[in-house]
Structures are given as structure tokens and as C-alpha cells.
């Protein structure tokens, strides 16, 4: 399998991402069978990342900050491939994570492409986040609040998403699940509303075109946030499926009745929640998340009948000797292609929506 990332071309981000996606799609073949082969690919993708870091340093030394930044983005993609191949208990995982964090620090400090910002929260504390600007005073752009999975930091999420978003004309505000999740009723929504307030006040952001994207358990936070704050123009979330599943399990435990609730009541409950989401919705189903494909498809059918704008996205999972690995490159392109379309359309409701990009049927429409 071809793995070289055209390092002789320096920061060729499109090439690196295309080859990373192709590599992950073909990982179930001969190359992934056995720990020796797997270790070989980890080493090779780590070396690709290290070489792109050297290219970035060289470009920065010549004063070309844009090419230096692009090489660093290539490195982040390569390191993320290596990280996905590693077992989370492998000592190398910490080493690769350290390289990813160093890459973000370089983009922040040396190349000034990323900002570390403080947001005044509802409980009078300060919330730390990463901000990636895309617009300016004369040309404000859409923006997306991105919430990490419960077991990942905001730095790890930013490092994965930044190469996918850098040329899409949208700003990012990236926060950690740990910082915005709170068991107290309504507090998580209030914290995320503080993030929305922050973005709305930024000169380069179009306050009418702000979305939110939550991963893992943060997808449930994104649902509750979108239901409570109608300023949002698009949401990538769980469609309320986690809270509904948890509530149904609690009722079954308290009543001792194992049978599922009557279907009409299930549909009515879901529809009631979805009506509170007054913006387009994308539900990511399957993969590492907790939203089942069957439940998500039932939800979509109900939304079609109610004329609610809901799409589904299913990540491509590759089976290998180390378990299932998600093709994060294709999925991120899918999600942010959808966000770009919906946030652009929200500013011009009289125009026809554009077709979604070719993403190998990752978005499952009606």
C-alpha cells in the first residue's frame, strides 16, 4: 500500500488527507494483520508527521508562515493516523499525543494561526478554549462551537479538525467536554451559551450563522444546547436519543417492566423534542458513538413526516487486528461539508440549498 505523503512538495495538505483516507479505507487488508505490520505503519505515519514538521520549520525560517502552517497541518493529520493505530495503553500513544500538542502550540505561538482565549462563564469563572479565526470586520464568516468527546482534550480535537476546516471559510471555537459538562440542570447549556455570546461578539463572526458540534457524550450536550438556545443555525448532535434511551431504561428499572413503551408514545416524545430544535440537525450514528443506526433511522423517518430538517451521517469503520478504526478524514469532511452548506443556507433562506459534497454516501438523507 502506498503511504508516502508527497513530502517533497512540503505542505501539500490535500494530498496528505487524500492518502490518509485511502490508507484507512484499505487498512483491513494484508497490511493490518499482525502486530509487526501494524507497528510498521505506526512508525511510517509518525515519520511522515515528523518530516512535515521539519518542512514547516524550514518554511517558517524563510518567512513563509502560510506554507509553514500548511506543513504543520499535514503533520497533525499524519500523527492522528498514527494515534488511531495505537492501542490507548501503548506508551507510544503518549509520545504521539505530545507531538500533536507541540504542533498546536507551534500554530498558536510561532505562526499565530490559533488563539487561546478565555470566556467569561455563567458562574463567574473563566473557560479556556481555542479560537481559530476565519473572517474579518469587512467579511464575517460562519462559526462552529466544537465540544470534544468525554475522554479527549480540546487540543486533541482541534488538532484533528483544523486540517479539515482550514479552507472552508468558518471560524472554530473548540472546548473540552470536561469544562462544559455539569450535572446541575441547565448549567451546561448556560456554559455553552457563554461560548455563543463570545463568538457573537467577535468582529469576524456572523452572529446569525453559528453552529455547534458535539462528539460522543457531548452530542447529547449539543442537543440540549440547541433546544435551549434558538440563536444556533445548525447542530451536529444525537437528536435526543441518549436522553431518551436513559429515560426509558430508568422507567423500566423503577417499574420492573422490561417491555418497550408503546410506539406512539415513543414517536410523540421524540417529535416533541425535535420540534424544539429550530435549526437543521445532523446526527452521527454508529462508529465510536452511542447512537445506534436503527434508532437514528427511526428518528429520521419521524422527522421526515414532521418536515423537520434532519440528516444522518455514518462513519466508515475499518475492521483490523486491533479492532475497528474510524476513517476520521472522510467523516470530518462529511460533517463540515454539511455545516458549511447549512450555515451558508441559513443566511440566504430564499435560495436553493447546494448539493452536499461527494462523501461516499456518508450522509444518509431521506
Amino acid at each position: 500500500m502506498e503511504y508516502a505523503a508527497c513530502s517533497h512538495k512540503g505542505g501539500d495538505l490535500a494530498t496528505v488527507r487524500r492518502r490518509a483516507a485511502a490508507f484507512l479505507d484499505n487498512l483491513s487488508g494484508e497490511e493490518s494483520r499482525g502486530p509487526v505490520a501494524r507497528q510498521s505503519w505506526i512508525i511510517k505515519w509518525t515519520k511522515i508527521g515528523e518530516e512535515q514538521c521539519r518542512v514547516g520549520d524550514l518554511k517558517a525560517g524563510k518567512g513563509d508562515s502560510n506554507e509553514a502552517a500548511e506543513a504543520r497541518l499535514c503533520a497533525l493529520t499524519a500523527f492522528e493516523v498514527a494515534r488511531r493505530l495505537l492501542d490507548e495503553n501503548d506508551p507510544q500513544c503518549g509520545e504521539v499525543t505530545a507531538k500533536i500538542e507541540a504542533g498546536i502550540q507551534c500554530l498558536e505561538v510561532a505562526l499565530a494561526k490559533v488563539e487561546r482565549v478565555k470566556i467569561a462563564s455563567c458562574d463567574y469563572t473563566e473557560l479556556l478554549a481555542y479560537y481559530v479565526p476565519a473572517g474579518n470586520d469587512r467579511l464575517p464568516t460562519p462559526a462552529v462551537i466544537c465540544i470534544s468527546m468525554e475522554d479527549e482534550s480540546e487540543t486533541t480535537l482541534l488538532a484533528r479538525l483544523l486540517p479539515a476546516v482550514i479552507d472552508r471559510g468558518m471560524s472554530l471555537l473548540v472546548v473540552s467536554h470536561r469544562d462544559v459538562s455539569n450535572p446541575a440542570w441547565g448549567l451546561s447549556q448556560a456554559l455553552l451559551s457563554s461560548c455563543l455570546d463570545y463568538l457573537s461578539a467577535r468582529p469576524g463572526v456572523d452572529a446569525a450563522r453559528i453552529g455547534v458540534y458535539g462528539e460522543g457524550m457531548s452530542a447529547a450536550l449539543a442537543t440540549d444546547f440547541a433546544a435551549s438556545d434558538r440563536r444556533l443555525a445548525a447542530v451536529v448532535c444525537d437528536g435526543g436519543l441518549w436522553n431518551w434511551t436513559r429515560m426509558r431504561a430508568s422507567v423500566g428499572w423503577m417499574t420492573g417492566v422490561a417491555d418497550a413503551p408503546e410506539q406512539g408514545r415513543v414517536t410523540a416524545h421524540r417529535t416533541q423534542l425535535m420540534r424544539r430544535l429550530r435549526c437543521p440537525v445532523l446526527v452521527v450514528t454508529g462508529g465510536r458513538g452511542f447512537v445506534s443506526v436503527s434508532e437514528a433511522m427511526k428518528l429520521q423517518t419521524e422527522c421526515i413526516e414532521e418536515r423537520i430538517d434532519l440528516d444522518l451521517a455514518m462513519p466508515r469503520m475499518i475492521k483490523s487486528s486491533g479492532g475497528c478504526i474510524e476513517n476520521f478524514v472522510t467523516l470530518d469532511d462529511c460533517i463540515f461539508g454539511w455545516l458549511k452548506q447549512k450555515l451558508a443556507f441559513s443566511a440566504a433562506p430564499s435560495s436553493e440549498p447546494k448539493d452536499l459534497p461527494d462523501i461516499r454516501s456518508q450522509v444518509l438523507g431521506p
Side-chain angles (χ1 to χ4, degrees):
M1 180 189 299
E2 186 180 15
Y3 72 90
C6 288
S7 57
H8 64 281
K9 294 183 180 179
D12 190 349
L13 182 58
T15 298
V16 173
R17 288 185 61 77
R18 184 169 60 250
R19 296 196 175 187
F23 168 79
L24 291 170
D25 275 345
N26 291 284
L27 192 59
S28 58
E30 188 72 27
E31 303 86 355
S32 65
R33 296 176 183 172
V36 175
R38 193 181 186 88
Q39 183 63 31
S40 173
W41 290 110
I42 292 168
I43 292 171
K44 287 176 179 178
W45 278 100
T46 302
K47 286 184 176 179
I48 289 170
E50 291 170 344
E51 186 169 350
Q52 292 289 352
C53 287
R54 288 192 290 270
V55 171
D57 291 341
L58 180 62
K59 296 293 184 180
K62 294 181 179 180
D64 194 334
S65 62
N66 288 333
E67 286 199 17
E70 191 170 9
R72 285 288 179 174
L73 294 175
C74 292
L76 290 177
T77 298
F79 289 142
E80 182 64 18
V81 174
R83 191 176 77 89
R84 297 287 171 126
L85 293 170
L86 283 162
D87 183 89
E88 61 181 9
N89 297 318
D90 193 314
Q92 294 178 90
C93 197
E95 297 173 8
V96 172
T97 299
K99 294 178 188 296
I100 289 172
E101 292 172 349
I104 291 297
Q105 186 176 24
C106 179
L107 288 166
E108 177 190 355
V109 178
L111 300 174
K113 303 296 183 182
V114 175
E115 301 176 23
R116 192 67 160 152
V117 298
K118 295 179 180 179
I119 300 170
S121 65
C122 55
D123 59 353
Y124 305 103
T125 60
E126 287 185 326
L127 176 69
L128 284 175
Y130 284 109
Y131 178 64
V132 183
N136 53 52
D137 294 356
R138 293 172 296 174
L139 188 63
T141 64
V144 181
I145 301 168
C146 303
I147 317 167
S148 73
M149 293 184 67
E150 57 277 11
D151 57 350
E152 291 185 343
S153 68
E154 68 272 29
T155 305
T156 301
L157 178 60
L158 174 64
R160 198 194 83 222
L161 296 184
L162 193 54
V165 181
I166 198 66
D167 292 326
R168 294 187 188 271
M170 62 177 67
S171 300
L172 292 185
L173 185 72
V174 183
V175 298
S176 76
H177 175 91
R178 178 187 64 254
D179 290 342
V180 298
S181 62
N182 194 295
W185 187 87
L187 188 54
S188 290
Q189 294 94 300
L191 289 167
L192 289 169
S193 287
S194 298
C195 295
L196 183 51
D197 292 339
Y198 174 85
L199 280 178
S200 299
R202 293 285 306 212
V205 172
D206 184 342
R209 296 190 290 161
I210 299 176
V212 62
Y213 165 36
E215 289 203 334
M217 292 299 299
S218 295
L221 295 181
T223 300
D224 292 340
F225 178 35
S228 67
D229 199 320
R230 295 189 175 183
R231 293 176 292 170
L232 290 168
V235 56
V236 182
C237 63
D238 77 329
L241 292 176
W242 166 248
N243 285 334
W244 168 245
T245 301
R246 184 174 58 178
M247 182 185 72
R248 186 170 56 181
S250 297
V251 170
W253 178 78
M254 288 186 293
T255 62
V257 178
D259 293 338
E262 188 266 325
Q263 184 58 38
R265 287 189 291 120
V266 172
T267 301
H269 175 86
R270 287 173 170 167
T271 302
Q272 183 181 24
L273 173 63
M274 292 308 298
R275 282 176 180 156
R276 294 172 59 197
L277 305 182
R278 304 299 291 271
C279 62
V281 177
L282 177 66
V283 174
V284 180
T285 179
R288 295 188 301 157
F290 54 81
V291 178
S292 73
V293 175
S294 60
E295 289 298 312
M297 294 186 73
K298 290 177 186 176
L299 177 63
Q300 187 185 42
T301 299
E302 294 158 10
C303 288
I304 293 171
E305 294 174 355
E306 295 290 328
R307 299 184 180 276
I308 297 171
D309 187 353
L310 181 140
D311 292 305
L312 304 182
M314 184 184 305
R316 176 170 170 75
M317 302 298 293
I318 302 93
K319 293 183 178 180
S320 71
S321 58
C324 289
I325 297 175
E326 178 185 274
N327 190 330
F328 68 91
V329 179
T330 304
L331 180 60
D332 291 342
D333 286 343
C334 164
I335 291 171
F336 282 93
W338 182 89
L339 281 165
K340 181 176 181 179
Q341 174 195 301
K342 295 299 181 180
L343 292 176
F345 184 52
S346 66
S350 61
S351 63
E352 291 296 323
K354 298 178 181 179
D355 292 335
L356 285 170
D358 180 9
I359 46 179
R360 298 187 182 182
S361 301
Q362 292 290 305
V363 170
L364 309 179

